[in-house]
Amino acid sequence: MDAPDLAAMAAQALSAAASGAANTAVSDLVRGRLSRSARGQAALDELANAPSDPETSSNLQATLADEISSDAEFAGRLAVLLHAPSQQHTGSVVMTGSKVTRSQVALGPLTINNTRAGQLSLAAGVLLVVLIVALAAYGGVRLFDNTDDSPLNAPSEPGTTRSASRAAALPPTTDTVSQILPGRSSMDAQEYPWAGTPEVRTSAAGSGLCRAAPECERNATAAGAVEFGRGENEGENRAEFLVLAFPDAAAAHRTYIDIVQDYEEADRGFGNFRKVALERRGEESQGFDEYGTDAKSNPAPLNVNRMLIFRQGAFIGVAHQMDDPTEQRGTRILSLSAMLANRIAKTDAGKTP
């Protein structure tokens, strides 16, 4: 069964649960998977608000189809659950859990007699199913386990085509970047009473983020940044957002790798950045701290400059929390990055953020 068919069946199970039916193993698996990305969470939110809306259903199926196509293990688990009901009836034979009644067991189109020979056949059949699922989940037999130092959550280079059922992303232009950047209404006025003027350009040349990333300066079609804080040039509790747009997802992926590797070199002693595990955003992401990961054991001033770089489709986003002296200095980046990731996810789905 291909990805669109699996997605349609999974979406139906999730929609039924959202409409009041009992949760199933399928709906729980799908909900847990979608909640890991900004785009998936947006689809879940839409389903909760309008479960009977055809557009909501279409968007949910498109999101699931992409998840299924990109992860064979998830696809295999979903296929098993969708084709493995908890109770099967064939004539007068019932199999529930591990109990077998009468003299036959019905397993799909196969009927196995409850004799010693039949039990051996059943065991062999079950073993075959397990092997098939395992091979499907891992893309065949792995002869070698290759490891590398790729950035956290970085997949292999994405293709430039989108599934037929998925809406085209908004164009990678300065207008789109301007729409993605958070505005005054998106930020807490008490925490960030001052809002800077957004700066949007048709090039990333000269950007500090791209200082040692040739792919960034060469390929970006638009770049924008905006800053919020206590006041202009006041250095306490500031938030900065940066958005880069590229011709396609492949160019954005190469640039993401280039940027992260640049900061990883700083992590190895050429600067003040350290890699830190933060909640995943977009299709690939990596967190960094400047001046240390633990302010309490750090002799430097009690603040943390924390940054998350992520890619979604043809867009790269950066959320940066700077000079935060509050107790929330270690976690505030999570809400800032989630907001930016949600805006980019909508843009990647063809919607105005």
Side-chain angles (χ1 to χ4, degrees):
M1 181 174 293
D2 58 17
D5 291 336
L6 273 177
M9 296 174 67
Q12 184 177 7
L14 192 59
S15 297
S19 300
N23 287 332
T24 64
V26 172
S27 65
D28 289 342
L29 174 65
V30 171
R31 192 179 300 278
R33 174 71 182 201
L34 293 182
S35 64
R36 291 165 49 184
S37 69
R39 183 187 177 205
Q41 187 59 56
L44 290 175
D45 292 343
E46 290 178 358
L47 181 64
N49 295 328
S52 59
D53 186 352
E55 183 178 353
T56 296
S57 177
S58 177
N59 183 45
L60 177 62
Q61 289 187 38
T63 303
L64 275 169
D66 286 344
E67 293 285 347
I68 291 167
S69 299
S70 64
D71 190 335
E73 182 177 1
F74 172 60
R77 292 175 62 193
L78 189 59
V80 170
L81 290 176
L82 286 170
H83 293 85
S86 59
Q87 188 177 74
Q88 301 182 32
H89 299 263
T90 301
S92 60
V93 181
V94 179
M95 181 172 70
T96 304
S98 59
K99 295 182 179 180
V100 181
T101 59
R102 304 223 176 167
S103 61
Q104 291 182 327
V105 177
L107 190 62
L110 177 66
T111 300
I112 300 175
N113 291 323
N114 190 19
T115 62
R116 181 173 179 79
Q119 291 170 356
L120 291 175
S121 297
L122 176 59
V126 171
L127 178 60
L128 179 60
V129 170
V130 171
L131 288 173
I132 291 173
V133 171
L135 289 175
Y138 288 95
V141 178
R142 292 183 175 181
L143 297 180
F144 301 99
D145 183 14
N146 294 324
T147 58
D148 56 29
D149 295 325
S150 299
L152 182 67
N153 297 328
S156 57
E157 183 161 340
T160 57
T161 58
R162 302 166 72 90
S163 64
S165 59
R166 183 177 172 187
L170 297 184
T173 63
T174 53
D175 286 343
T176 298
V177 168
S178 295
Q179 292 175 350
I180 293 174
L181 290 173
R184 170 71 279 175
S185 62
S186 301
M187 301 293 290
D188 187 328
Q190 290 186 336
E191 296 290 341
Y192 306 99
W194 174 81
T197 301
E199 180 183 357
V200 181
R201 302 181 299 181
T202 56
S203 168
S207 167
L209 187 72
C210 303
R211 66 189 184 279
E215 290 281 352
C216 184
E217 292 198 349
R218 182 165 53 242
N219 294 322
T221 57
V226 65
E227 187 175 339
F228 300 86
R230 299 294 184 184
E232 188 172 9
N233 299 322
E234 292 189 16
E236 194 171 283
N237 196 29
R238 294 179 294 145
E240 180 183 38
F241 299 95
L242 176 66
V243 176
L244 301 171
F246 296 87
D248 51 47
H253 169 76
R254 293 193 300 271
T255 301
Y256 168 82
I257 297 297
D258 210 5
I259 292 172
V260 170
Q261 288 177 347
D262 176 36
Y263 277 95
E264 285 179 329
E265 289 182 358
D267 184 27
R268 289 192 287 268
F270 296 102
N272 296 316
F273 292 94
R274 302 180 188 177
K275 290 174 65 175
V276 60
L278 295 175
E279 189 170 336
R280 175 174 172 165
R281 304 295 182 213
E283 295 175 80
E284 48 191 341
S285 63
Q286 179 62 63
F288 289 94
D289 271 350
E290 188 177 8
Y291 309 127
T293 58
D294 184 359
K296 292 184 179 180
S297 62
N298 189 346
L302 291 178
N303 55 52
V304 171
N305 292 342
R306 179 162 280 195
M307 172 173 63
L308 183 75
I309 305 171
F310 64 93
R311 180 193 65 83
Q312 174 75 46
F315 300 91
I316 289 177
V318 179
H320 191 187
Q321 175 65 27
M322 300 176 285
D323 305 326
D324 187 353
T326 70
E327 289 300 321
Q328 291 78 38
R329 58 181 171 268
T331 58
R332 199 189 301 270
I333 187 64
L334 301 180
S335 59
L336 296 177
S337 61
M339 175 180 62
L340 184 61
N342 184 55
R343 297 176 74 87
I344 291 181
K346 288 182 177 179
T347 301
D348 189 47
K351 299 179 179 181
T352 302

